[in-house]
Amino acid sequence: MKAAIKNGLTTKTMGREIFHYHSLESTNNTARQLAENGAEHGTLVIAARQAAGRGRGGRRWSSPEGGIWLSLILRPQLLFVQASLITLLTAVAAAETTREVCCFMPDIKWPNDLLAGGKKLAGVLTEAFAANDGIRYLVVGLGINVNIKRKDFPPELRQQATSILIETGKQTDRALWVRSFLMVFEQLYDEAAADGFAAVLDRWRRYSSTLGKDVLVCSSGRRIRGKALDIDRQGALLVETEGSIRRFWAGEVIFEQEC
Ligand code: BT5
């Protein structure tokens, strides 16, 4: 897998160093240990399966054989509050990679989900490790259900999860997907580092299935109904509710079906 990903990889930083495992608890945990030991910007950690894959807020992420479970170590010049922009950038890169490699375009649900036909295809878990108000390093975890059959999901996920195989009927070359992802990610990342995130946010808006929809937001124990209007420059969601516009961060927003 490692050699297959590297074969033809033309990135400068992303995936120049690759750690591949048959099984890990969580690629984000291993990436964190590597980062603490000085691993470089762009280091990729990838596992064929995860025994304890994590979602946000301590939720479980099912990671059977056949998916792509990866983490990237980033050492960006960003403020801590800007870490969520990297989540949006990762979702854009994963959507565009899927379009390129699998001829099929998922949509993005704010902030971290890729969906196909309303079912969850992929999720992003960004973890920032701070120094003062800056970022020492970030670990961006991405899980995408690639060659997974419906019966390979745990029963409780079979109605809400999907895979590229289920959607297209075709097996995907996972090394090719990862290589393409690294190239798309690096291009978006370098553009954002040089010119800011406006172009990433525009692409995100184009692929979003959230904007313009009525949403029920669960925030600090309250349930607030409103219309998702836009995302702002820092990636926060702007929701119109009772005549005013409120701004929500990823950590505090849960959509209706998850409450
Ligand atoms: C996410 O969390 O969507 C972030 C998932 C990130 C996973 C990657 S895999 C590589 C890296 N290493 C890790 O340990 N994690 C990252 P959240 O929005 O909290 O969604 C979690 C919810 O998605 C669960 O509560 C389930 O309902 C659902 N779910 C779990 N596994 C799934 C799967 N394989 N496909 C679709 N939905 C799933």
Side-chain angles (χ1 to χ4, degrees), residues 4-220:
I5 294 171
K6 286 224 162 193
N7 183 14
L9 183 69
T10 56
T11 52
K12 290 192 294 294
T13 53
M14 297 300 151
R16 294 323 302 171
E17 187 75 70
I18 299 178
F19 292 85
H20 176 262
Y21 302 85
H22 284 294
S23 182
L24 279 182
E25 296 235 303
S26 154
T27 55
N28 268 37
N29 295 354
T30 300
R32 183 179 179 180
Q33 286 158 11
L34 290 165
E36 290 293 341
N37 289 325
E40 285 189 13
H41 176 75
T43 299
L44 174 74
V45 180
I46 182 162
R49 49 189 300 281
Q50 297 183 115
R54 294 189 286 113
R56 294 176 302 155
R59 290 196 278 262
R60 296 285 306 235
W61 183 260
S62 162
S63 317
E65 193 87 42
I68 293 173
W69 323 121
L70 64 78
S71 302
L72 279 171
I73 296 169
L74 304 176
R75 298 188 181 276
Q77 302 285 318
L78 287 177
L79 294 175
F80 196 70
V81 294
Q82 293 173 308
S84 51
L85 290 169
I86 296 289
T87 299
L88 304 187
L89 184 151
T90 307
V92 168
E96 292 188 352
T97 302
T98 304
R99 182 180 59 196
E100 261 177 40
V101 175
C102 314
C103 301
F104 144 74
M105 186 66 182
D107 38 55
I108 305 179
K109 182 182 152 204
W110 188 86
N112 70 325
D113 288 353
L114 294 196
L115 303 183
K119 296 186 175 182
K120 186 152 168 165
L121 179 72
V124 180
L125 175 68
T126 304
E127 298 181 297
F129 299 91
N132 302 321
D133 65 345
I135 293 174
R136 208 149 53 87
Y137 65 88
L138 281 177
V139 172
V140 187
L142 168 72
I144 178 159
N145 304 321
V146 183
N147 299 326
I148 299 182
K149 297 190 182 126
R150 192 168 303 287
K151 68 172 176 47
D152 298 331
F153 286 117
E156 67 278 11
L157 286 182
R158 284 180 197 155
Q159 292 309 311
Q160 67 184 75
T162 191
S163 71
I164 294 176
L165 177 62
I166 294 169
E167 296 300 318
T168 64
K170 293 193 188 112
Q171 293 276 338
T172 296
D173 177 341
R174 283 177 292 162
L176 170 64
W177 196 98
V178 174
R179 184 164 67 245
S180 306
F181 172 76
L182 292 168
M183 301 212 254
V184 174
F185 186 98
E186 179 167 290
Q187 200 183 352
L188 289 173
Y189 185 92
D190 286 353
E191 280 169 18
D195 304 324
F197 280 79
V200 168
L201 296 181
D202 276 347
R203 281 150 99 149
W204 188 93
R205 288 183 182 98
R206 225 179 304 147
Y207 310 149
S208 157
S209 63
T210 303
L211 300 183
K213 296 258 173 71
D214 291 326
V215 292
L216 177 73
V217 176
C218 301
S219 170
S220 314

Side-chain angles (χ1 to χ4, degrees), residues 238-256:
L238 303 176
V239 177
E240 184 177 29
T241 170
E242 291 163 0
S244 65
I245 295 175
R246 294 187 54 178
R247 190 166 180 263
F248 294 100
W249 288 101
E252 55 178 0
V253 176
I254 307 174
F255 286 89
E256 184 157 28

